[in-house]
Structures are given as structure tokens and as C-alpha cells.
Amino acid sequence: MTTYLIVGATTLGQLVAQQLASQADATVRVLCGPKDTVAPALAQQVTVLNGDLTQEATYGPALQDQPVVFSALSGMDVDLAFEALFDAQYHQRLTLTRFVMLSTAGVDQEVTGDLVYPEITDVKEYLNQQRYAAKLVDEAEFPYTILRPVTLSDEANRAPQIIKEGAAVPAGTVPRETVAQVAVKLMTVGGADYQSLAIC
């Protein structure tokens, strides 16, 4: 039985949780912040935990059983949540099997064209926070993959275009469903260890 933890009940986080919950040998937890709500149908399939994601104590119960973690957090202050998460992991000597982080294209100044960051008013500070969060992941001692999608959309699922770190990334949109499928594959099958991948 594999334990999966989704940090953040965003739309994308719930898509990932739903796909993982359909597997027979999976235990899925969704860790929600104060403003998160989980769809009722999904709440019947997963364990829902709640707390302040910037507080270390929130993560103790969620990180039990060596989970594979997907951070679906978006917006500002992801770095604060990661500091709390990794402090909990370190102080309680908990081992994570693997960590998949949702970040954004643009953190490496790799985007050609104008990328839209919905609901972000201070893009420079947002990107700095994303860079620091990625640094925290990189300094942890377990396999990770960072996903840097272009602007997320509700379009129909399509085959992803994966671009490795260091290459130019065209501005545009990518369906949440597409990014969810990439995340689930990395969580269940593995691969792309210690890499940062853009998704278009």
C-alpha cells in the first residue's frame, strides 16, 4: 500500500488526488489550508486533513507512513508552507518517498513571450518565493521533480510538451488535467529525479 499526500486542495490538487484514489493499492491524504474545500465526492475517497499550512505542527500527521508528496500549492507564500513542511519532516525524522512540486514557468527567466500569472499582483516577489521554495526542495534529501507549467487552464486534456531545464519555454496555456496526469505518473512510476520540467 502506497501513501500519497496532496498538499493544497486546489483544483489541480484535487484532480491528482482523484486519479490516485482510483488505484486499488493507494491511501490518499489531502492536506487543506484554511480556505480550501474538497469536493464532497472526493472527500469520500480520501482522508482530508486541515490546518494552517505555514505551521510546522500541521504536517506531523500528514507526513506519517513515508508518503509520496505532491505540492499543489499555488499563489503567494508557498515558501512559508515549505519551510513548515520541511521543518516537520526534519524534526520528526520522517522520511518522504518522493516529492513532486508544482511551481511555474518563468522562475528561470526561460519564457519567451508574456506569461500570465492569474491572481498575482507582485510577479517579481511571487517568482522569488517560488525560487526559494524550489531551493528548499533541492536541499532536502529525497528524490524530487519540480513541474513548471505555463498558465493553467480548464481546456480539454491534451498530450503534454515537456521541456527540460535550461531550454526556452513558449508562453501560453496548458490544461490542468494534462499537468495532473504528468504529476500522477511521476508519483506512481517515478522518473525525472532531481529535475525541473516545464509543461506546455
Side-chain angles (χ1 to χ4, degrees), residues 150-156 158 173-177:
V150 292
T151 305
L152 297 172
S153 74
D154 294 322
E155 300 167 292
R158 64 174 188 253
T173 61
V174 63
R176 285 179 179 83
E177 184 71 37

Side-chain angles (χ1 to χ4, degrees), residues 59-78:
Y59 293 93
L63 294 175
Q64 300 300 315
D65 308 318
Q66 298 184 319
V68 176
V69 178
F70 175 62
S71 169
L73 297 174
S74 61
M76 303 298 283
D77 299 332
V78 170

